[in-house]
Amino acid sequence: MNAINILLLGSGGREHAFARVLNQSPLCNQLFIAPGNPGTALEGINVEVDWQDTEALARFAAESEISLVVVGPEDPLVHGLRDVCAAHPGLNHLAFIGPGASGARLEGSKDFSKEFMGRHGIPTAAHQTFTPESVDAGCAFLATLSPPYVLKADGLAAGKGVLILSSLEEAQTELRAMLLEAKFGEASAKVVVEEFLDGIEFSVFALTDGEHYVLLPEAKDYKRIGEGDTGLNTGGMGAVSPVPFCTPEIMEEVRSRIVEPTVNGLRAEGIPYVGFLFFGLIRCADAVKVIEYNCRMGDPETEAVLPRLNEDLVALLMDAANHRLTNRKAEVSPGAQCVVVSVAGGYPEAYGKGDPISGLNDLDPNDPTVVFHAGTKKSGDGTGVVTNGGRVLAVSSKGKNASEALAATYEALSKIHYPGQYYRRDIGNDLVS
Ligand code: AMP
Ligand code: GLY
């Protein structure tokens, strides 16, 4: 295969990790990132191409001789970018990583994903879905459950659409607010009420061509803002890969009871799917169950998973796009990779932007650490980098084991500063003895 030009969509830590690994491949000629961030600019060329402007995308793809499009975040997928490209004469020749709108519903509609799991016998929490018309039935259903109560807005709600409540009255009030007062806008026009699952969460990723799949390394994500898994949910405060409790037996259970039935279920329902499948899982006392699907890679899990890959990512992606995958596990480097996310003060609630970041150049290139940019941008005078989002940096290190990787990450973080900086100091503590 000749080296190709690639367009990567997105601007977060996940995309910086993708950019780095794609750029390392001898099969990558030129890498473009739209819109990217100052970190992706170290790996390729950031371009201002709006994925919603189909004609601009087609012009750019022609001018830059793009062969492969890789979509980082869910939004373009849920909004049908793959289908738009497939229908456009200037874009339909491109290899495209990410499902069409029908497959992206696994993430875009919690109701669809729960029904899908039900149809294919995939273990998940018991649930019922309610609409404004059935709100009273929803309140009555809640009364039959024991606390805590789990309410999920059906649609995309920027990671905020899941409520876990300890009192029945509160759960009923919130259900009414979601359904009748559009608490999460259109996303909560339907609400899934589900059984609370008790267990330990982890994430498994597969790249599929719709028929076969390659399993990537698993990871554990730390979602809460506070140490000891307390406080508000965030996009993710850190991740560790591998996950020590993911024994070969557990991974075989995940493969045979969850991954395989999902890929086969999509095929049986005539839903073409070329892209990543992200399984948000929970290990309960009786079985591993699915908490959610995502139609993309995780953030910050990608920053822990991709650096471990001992495969040529461009070759894997082209094999997926050309329906040439085989069912197998990806080759991974031994040891561990741990990422800690450094956020803006106040996140995940209101936070400031534009604070200068210092210390980014103080890392030794021989360090086992990479600083992935998440919410950053160049300063006005172009000489430095300032904060530009809630999750600012994802600092990821490799080590012989998780303790060594974490120590390197925290050492690197101690050199990086900006006003209001916060990061959890307990990432991975539960996994290292
Ligand atoms: P989701 O957006 O579906 O991943 O939900 C966000 C978070 O809420 C998950 O990562 C879990 O920590 C929690 N959660 C969701 N559903 C359940 C459930 N049925 N039981 C326990 N926790 C849940
Ligand atoms: N870290 C969780 C996610 O990407 O959805």
Side-chain angles (χ1 to χ4, degrees):
M1 184 185 139
N2 292 329
I4 56 172
N5 292 352
I6 302 172
L7 174 63
L8 168 66
L9 300 186
S11 64
R14 169 182 48 213
E15 286 73 30
H16 186 179
F18 262 106
R20 186 174 165 91
V21 176
L22 291 171
N23 186 35
Q24 281 165 349
S25 165
L27 297 176
C28 177
N29 179 38
Q30 278 194 302
L31 173 65
F32 299 92
I33 309 96
N37 66 34
T40 62
L42 304 171
E43 308 293 344
I45 302 169
N46 287 349
V47 288
E48 287 299 327
V49 181
D50 179 0
W51 61 265
Q52 287 165 305
D53 184 344
T54 313
E55 294 312 319
L57 197 59
R59 267 196 311 278
F60 177 77
E63 278 159 18
S64 304
E65 298 178 15
I66 300 295
S67 298
L68 169 66
V69 177
V70 182
V71 182
E74 64 278 12
D75 237 42
L77 300 172
V78 172
H79 288 100
L81 181 61
R82 184 192 184 89
D83 314 292
V84 167
C85 290
H88 191 289
L91 294 165
N92 61 9
H93 63 287
L94 298 175
F96 192 104
I97 297 297
S102 60
R105 275 193 300 167
L106 282 182
E107 174 164 2
S109 167
K110 302 264 188 210
D111 178 48
F112 174 80
S113 76
K114 298 294 290 192
E115 296 294 316
F116 177 88
M117 288 185 259
R119 286 194 292 276
H120 300 288
I122 297 166
T124 187
H127 85 289
Q128 283 196 25
T129 300
F130 299 95
T131 60
E133 293 71 43
S134 58
V135 65
D136 291 334
C139 289
F141 178 64
L142 279 168
T144 68
L145 302 176
S146 40
Y149 304 91
V150 182
L151 307 182
K152 297 186 172 183
D154 174 55
L156 291 183
K160 298 198 169 86
V162 175
L163 300 180
I164 300 187
L165 304 156
S166 48
S167 97
L168 176 61
E169 291 70 46
E170 213 184 344
Q172 291 172 329
T173 305
E174 290 293 349
L175 181 64
R176 289 187 185 282
M178 287 168 90
L179 287 172
L180 304 179
E181 292 155 32
K183 176 166 177 144
F184 297 108
E186 189 52 27
S188 63
K190 275 192 201 168
V191 174
V192 172
V193 175
E194 71 178 40
E195 167 200 17
F196 179 83
L197 297 176
D198 197 14
I200 176 156
E201 288 180 56
F202 63 108
S203 309
V204 167
F205 306 93
L207 174 68
T208 182
D209 61 9
E211 181 175 1
H212 298 107
Y213 59 86
V214 173
L215 277 181
L216 306 179
E218 78 286 352
K220 184 169 188 290
D221 173 24
Y222 293 78
K223 287 204 166 70
R224 302 293 197 93
I225 186 73
E227 289 172 13
D229 292 328
T230 53
L232 294 174
N233 251 327
T234 70
M237 296 296 291
V240 175
S241 177
V243 181
F245 63 78
C246 288
T247 58
E249 292 72 34
I250 293 268
M251 291 310 288
E252 178 52 27
E253 178 184 340
V254 169
R255 198 193 61 71
S256 63
R257 305 217 34 214
I258 295 172
V259 178
E260 191 120 357
T262 300
V263 173
N264 291 344
L266 286 165
R267 206 147 70 98
E269 295 193 16
I271 299 174
Y273 199 111
V274 172
F276 292 98
L277 273 167
F278 167 157
F279 303 86
L281 305 177
I282 186 162
R283 189 183 61 153
C284 302
D286 55 336
V288 176
K289 299 183 183 175
V290 178
I291 292 258
E292 64 162 352
Y293 287 117
N294 293 309
C295 61
R296 50 166 175 91
M297 285 294 287
D299 194 353
E301 292 94 326
T302 302
E303 294 95 300
V305 166
L306 284 190
R308 296 190 65 217
L309 260 197
N310 244 342
E311 302 266 353
D312 187 310
L313 184 60
V314 177
L316 265 188
L317 297 177
M318 288 307 285
D319 280 350
N322 293 320
H323 303 277
R324 279 196 315 245
L325 290 178
T326 50
N327 286 352
R328 63 185 179 94
K329 275 187 78 169
E331 291 292 328
V332 295
S333 318
Q337 188 85 26
C338 299
V339 57
V340 175
V341 178
S342 182
V343 304
Y347 174 82
E349 297 185 282
Y351 55 82
K353 289 185 179 178
D355 290 314
I357 306 173
S358 64
L360 288 175
N361 298 326
D362 296 345
L363 298 176
D364 184 329
N366 298 317
D367 278 356
T369 302
V370 189
V371 178
F372 293 117
H373 289 236
T376 71
K377 68 172 187 182
K378 279 208 162 136
S379 57
D381 63 5
T383 58
V385 173
V386 300
T387 65
N388 191 40
R391 292 192 290 171
V392 176
L393 299 166
V395 180
S396 183
S397 307
K398 180 185 168 74
K400 278 204 299 292
N401 50 42
S403 318
E404 197 182 281
L406 285 163
T409 284
Y410 283 115
E411 166 71 21
L413 270 166
S414 72
K415 299 177 186 157
I416 298 171
H417 304 282
Y418 51 86
Q421 181 183 24
Y422 168 76
Y423 53 87
R424 277 179 61 170
R425 285 159 206 272
D426 68 340
I427 299 301
N429 278 1
D430 55 328
L431 301 181
V432 302
S433 38

